[in-house]
């Protein structure tokens, strides 16, 4: 550790070299000195970095500064995107801020193209990505810097696609950089948190932003204005809390309440499955079981992209081990499996012997898996999942829970070790927020679920399907009579009565 005294003893040249190393490259187009977190952000030489956290933490300034760092160098081209032009240009937003910073400078603004052009020939453009297909308007373009303002408003595919536009000539006099900034929350909260905070790849850097890091803001007034917000939203905006965000679909989820360790499932517990099919996106398949008190437990999860025959093989293998129960005579007790009716009806590029197109349901049937169309209403499914997750002060925790006997239990539990994707998706699920969505605020966001929430979709299918409590096993009072009953049942009962539908 270097102390102030040891720094003072350094020769002037070494001190000068050290100051240079700790000073980011700035241009006259940046009107004020960066604060320490912004300085760290501007010093980074890695390709990918994210500046995020509390509202008012100087994120927009940091992103705009980064874009302007090399605008005095010929051949440099930068792009900053947001969801819409309206969001870019509203007061205080990043494009409006660039007009404040560069007004009166030697840079020229093209209103039609939303582009600054600098005397060096460098450029800074502003763009939008409202829909998934909007990424293609940048096809063929090349940028040395791409910045995403409010990254959590984008899908991961939009973000990763623009890496293909990040190109430059060999030995360019500036680094190739993908930079972004955001508060917690929004459709991309889950993937942004995973990519930059909880599971960052090597070379990916996260710089946290806090309100106290921005001396240009009236902090006391801003904090006072946040006191009117709900606690979760206040934590997100004030502290940059990535475990809480505005529009969180299931704020009641608590791992200490809802997550349980693996346990042996009694053969008398009802079981059923639900699935949400994907091809390029993962297929999610869940095993549910219900205890004697009606508690619903998600006991296992299969989550993988691929084709129906691959999924069918895996599911049939799992049924041979954990997923299917045996009755008292050792017979397999088959149970039902439910899927999204829209995808089950989807026609495949395959035909049957009569030349008719096969559906996805037909294809699974061909591999030995019978699927029943589930209830796929988004609003109803969201309400049901939320009801089951809500702790009930009058409900006792079951004996297989780590808090067995205590009061305040929910009705839905997950075996966390076996359902990691589902757990992550419940925590990250955002409410629908698009103004055009008729279920805005009353269902989980459709775009998020389609891109990132396949286990969540399977969960709501399952929660809307079955909920009755399992029947307690019969108490054997006379062992001889019970033996005679089992012998008679084994010889004279049609096994179809064991199919649980």
């Amino acid at each position: 550790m270097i102390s102030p005294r040891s720094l003072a003893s350094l020769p002037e040249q070494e001190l000068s070299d050290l100051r240079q190393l700790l000073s980011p490259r700035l241009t006259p187009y940046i009107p004020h000195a960066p604060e320490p977190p912004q300085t760290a952000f501007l010093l980074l030489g890695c390709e990918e970095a994210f500046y995020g956290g509390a509202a008012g933490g100087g994120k927009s300034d940091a992103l705009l500064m980064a874009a302007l760092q090399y605008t005095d160098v010929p051949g440099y081209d930068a792009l900053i995107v947001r969801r819409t032009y309206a969001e870019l240009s509203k007061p205080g937003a990043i494009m409006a801020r660039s007009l404040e910073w560069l007004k009166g400078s030697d840079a020229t603004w093209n209103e039609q193209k939303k582009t600054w052009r600098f005397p060096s020939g460098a450029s800074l453009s502003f763009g939008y990505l409202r829909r998934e297909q909007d990424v293609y308007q940048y096809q063929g373009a090349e940028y040395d810097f791409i910045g995403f303002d409010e990254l959590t408003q984008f899908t991961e595919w939009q973000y990763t696609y623009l890496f293909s536009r990040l190109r430059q000539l060999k030995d360019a006099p500036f680094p190739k950089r993908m930079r972004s900034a955001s508060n917690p929350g929004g459709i991309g909260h889950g993937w942004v948190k995973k990519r930059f905070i909880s599971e960052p790849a090597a070379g990916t850097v996260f710089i946290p932003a806090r309100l106290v890091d921005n001396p240009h803001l009236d902090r006391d007034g801003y904090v006072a204005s946040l006191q009117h917000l709900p606690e979760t939203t206040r934590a997100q905006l004030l502290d940059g809390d990535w475990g809480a965000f505005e529009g969180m679909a299931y704020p009641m989820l608590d791992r200490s309440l809802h997550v349980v360790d693996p346990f042996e499932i009694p053969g008398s517990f009802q079981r059923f499955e639900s699935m949400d099919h994907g091809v390029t996106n993962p297929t999610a398949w869940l095993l549910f079981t219900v205890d004697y008190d009606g508690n619903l437990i998600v006991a296992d999860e299969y989550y993988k992209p691929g084709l129906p025959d691959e999924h069918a093989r895996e599911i049939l293998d799992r049924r041979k081990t954990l997923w299917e129960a045996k009755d008292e005579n050792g017979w397999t007790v088959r149970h039902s499996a439910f899927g999204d009716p829209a995808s089950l009806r989807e026609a495949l590029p395959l035909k049957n012997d009569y030349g008719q197109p096969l559906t996805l349901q037909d294809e699974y049937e061909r591999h030995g898996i019978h699927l029943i169309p589930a209830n796929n209403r988004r609003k109803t499914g969201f309400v049901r999942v939320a009801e089951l997750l809500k702790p009930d002060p009058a409900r006792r925790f079951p004996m297989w829970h780590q808090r067995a006997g205590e009061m305040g239990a929910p009705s839905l539990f997950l075996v966390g070790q076996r359902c990691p994707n589902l757990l992550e998706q419940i925590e990250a699920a955002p409410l629908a927020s698009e103004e055009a969505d008729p279920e805005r605020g009353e269902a989980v966001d459709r775009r998020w679920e389609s891109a990132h929430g396949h286990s969540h979709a399977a969960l709501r299918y399952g929660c809307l399907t079955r909920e009755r409590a399992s029947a307690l096993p019969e108490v054997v009072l006379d062992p001889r009579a019970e033996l005679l009953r089992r012998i008679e049942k084994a010889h004279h009962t049609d096994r179809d009565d064991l199919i649980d539908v």
Side-chain angles (χ1 to χ4, degrees):
M1 183 175 177
I2 301 177
S3 67
R5 180 174 296 176
S6 62
L7 282 174
S9 65
L10 288 175
E12 183 59 36
Q13 184 58 50
E14 291 186 23
L15 269 176
S16 177
D17 292 343
L18 184 58
R19 289 192 196 99
Q20 188 172 352
L21 285 172
L22 297 177
S23 300
R25 189 184 197 280
L26 301 176
T27 64
Y29 306 108
I30 299 173
H32 63 81
E35 298 304 318
Q38 295 170 338
T39 296
F41 188 62
L42 298 178
L43 283 169
L44 293 171
C46 59
E47 182 174 272
E48 186 179 9
F50 174 62
Y51 190 95
K59 298 181 299 300
S60 295
D61 275 16
L63 191 62
L64 186 54
M65 286 177 179
L68 291 168
Q69 277 187 286
Y70 293 90
T71 47
D72 59 340
V73 181
Y76 174 80
D77 293 296
L79 170 70
I80 294 178
V81 296
R82 197 157 177 184
R83 284 269 296 166
T84 65
Y85 272 137
E87 291 171 327
L88 279 167
S89 57
K90 67 183 179 182
I94 197 163
M95 189 169 74
R97 192 163 305 185
S98 79
L99 296 171
E100 295 174 11
W101 285 15
L102 301 178
K103 184 180 180 181
S105 73
D106 56 9
T108 57
W109 173 248
N110 186 315
E111 175 64 25
Q112 183 178 1
K113 295 183 178 180
K114 302 294 188 291
T115 297
W116 286 103
R117 185 67 65 179
F118 299 85
S120 65
S123 69
L124 169 58
S125 302
F126 295 89
Y128 67 93
L129 290 173
R130 183 176 180 83
R131 301 165 300 169
E132 295 286 279
Q133 58 266 39
D134 288 337
V135 297
Y136 297 119
Q137 66 184 311
Y138 303 104
Q139 205 164 28
E142 296 183 0
Y143 298 99
D144 306 288
F145 175 98
I146 297 177
F148 279 79
D149 191 24
E150 291 300 339
L151 182 60
T152 56
Q153 300 302 316
F154 297 90
T155 66
E156 187 171 15
W157 184 81
Q158 288 174 312
Y159 176 73
T160 54
Y161 178 86
L162 280 199
F163 271 94
S164 66
R165 306 298 96 208
L166 199 62
R167 302 176 183 175
Q168 61 182 199
L169 296 174
K170 186 178 180 182
D171 301 324
F174 32 73
K176 184 175 64 172
R177 296 173 297 161
M178 180 70 82
R179 296 291 184 263
S180 51
S182 189
N183 296 320
I187 187 175
H189 176 92
W191 74 260
V192 171
K193 179 182 177 184
K194 185 174 183 178
R195 187 179 186 98
F196 293 99
I197 300 169
S198 57
E199 300 178 28
T204 299
V205 178
F206 167 58
I207 303 291
R210 301 175 300 162
L211 180 62
V212 295
D213 297 323
N214 188 356
H216 308 289
L217 194 70
D218 177 6
R219 298 174 192 166
D220 292 340
Y222 186 71
V223 170
S225 69
L226 294 181
Q227 299 310 309
H228 303 286
L229 296 175
E231 182 178 353
T232 297
T233 309
R234 189 165 65 248
Q236 169 225 331
L237 294 175
L238 185 59
D239 305 321
D241 183 359
W242 285 88
F245 61 91
E246 186 178 11
M248 196 175 190
Y250 304 108
M252 72 289 289
L253 184 79
D254 183 335
R255 291 194 177 210
S256 69
L257 303 182
H258 298 96
V259 177
V260 296
D261 294 330
F263 65 96
E264 185 174 352
I265 302 171
S268 52
F269 277 18
Q270 295 281 339
R271 304 179 193 212
F272 63 97
E273 302 164 18
S274 69
M275 60 85 75
D276 187 61
H277 180 78
V279 181
T280 54
N281 287 321
T283 286
W285 211 300
L286 305 178
L287 171 68
F288 290 81
T289 187
V290 191
D291 73 0
Y292 308 129
D293 296 315
N295 292 304
L296 196 60
I297 308 122
V298 187
D300 201 11
E301 170 191 61
Y302 168 75
Y303 195 77
K304 191 176 179 181
L307 299 173
D309 62 328
E310 300 173 68
H311 304 320
R313 284 196 301 270
E314 176 66 24
I315 298 307
L316 292 173
D317 285 345
R318 293 196 183 200
R319 287 180 178 178
K320 293 175 184 176
T321 54
L322 171 68
W323 285 27
E324 285 186 327
K326 305 287 184 182
D327 71 359
E328 64 272 19
N329 297 316
W331 290 83
T332 297
V333 181
R334 291 180 301 225
H335 54 254
S336 303
F338 301 86
D340 175 19
S343 62
L344 293 183
R345 290 192 299 265
E346 182 182 341
L348 301 175
L350 299 170
K351 296 187 177 181
N352 60 20
D353 295 339
Y354 303 100
Q356 299 169 322
L358 291 172
T359 64
L360 185 66
Q361 188 170 12
D362 295 330
E363 182 66 2
Y364 276 108
E365 194 82 51
R366 189 169 70 87
H367 291 287
I369 294 181
H370 177 62
L371 289 165
I372 301 169
N375 183 336
N376 67 347
R377 287 178 290 174
R378 292 170 56 223
K379 180 178 177 179
T380 310
F382 162 68
V383 170
R384 185 61 183 143
V385 172
E387 286 176 344
L388 292 171
L389 286 171
K390 185 178 179 180
D392 181 351
R395 192 176 184 86
R396 195 178 298 277
F397 281 94
M399 294 306 296
W400 39 263
H401 195 281
Q402 54 268 26
R403 295 176 59 173
E406 296 181 28
M407 305 302 289
S411 300
L412 175 62
F413 302 88
L414 293 78
V415 178
Q417 294 178 28
R418 301 193 66 93
C419 305
N421 296 287
L422 176 59
L423 179 58
E424 181 181 282
Q425 289 172 27
I426 296 175
E427 291 178 327
L431 287 171
S433 57
E434 292 284 315
E435 292 200 10
D437 193 330
E439 294 178 316
R440 180 184 181 191
E442 298 181 319
V444 167
D445 189 279
R446 187 194 305 272
R447 293 176 302 129
W448 172 86
E449 191 176 70
S450 176
H452 305 289
H454 298 282
S455 280
H456 174 267
L459 175 69
R460 61 183 176 86
Y461 303 154
C463 289
L464 282 174
T465 300
R466 294 284 292 276
E467 60 183 64
R468 71 172 184 265
S470 297
L472 284 164
E474 295 179 19
V475 178
V476 178
L477 300 177
D478 184 342
R480 292 172 298 178
E482 175 63 15
L483 178 59
L484 289 172
R485 186 189 70 79
R486 290 189 181 186
I487 293 172
E488 182 178 356
K489 184 177 180 180
H491 283 86
H492 300 290
T493 304
D494 185 349
R495 302 314 301 165
D496 283 344
D497 68 347
L498 295 178
I499 299 177
D500 183 14
V501 294

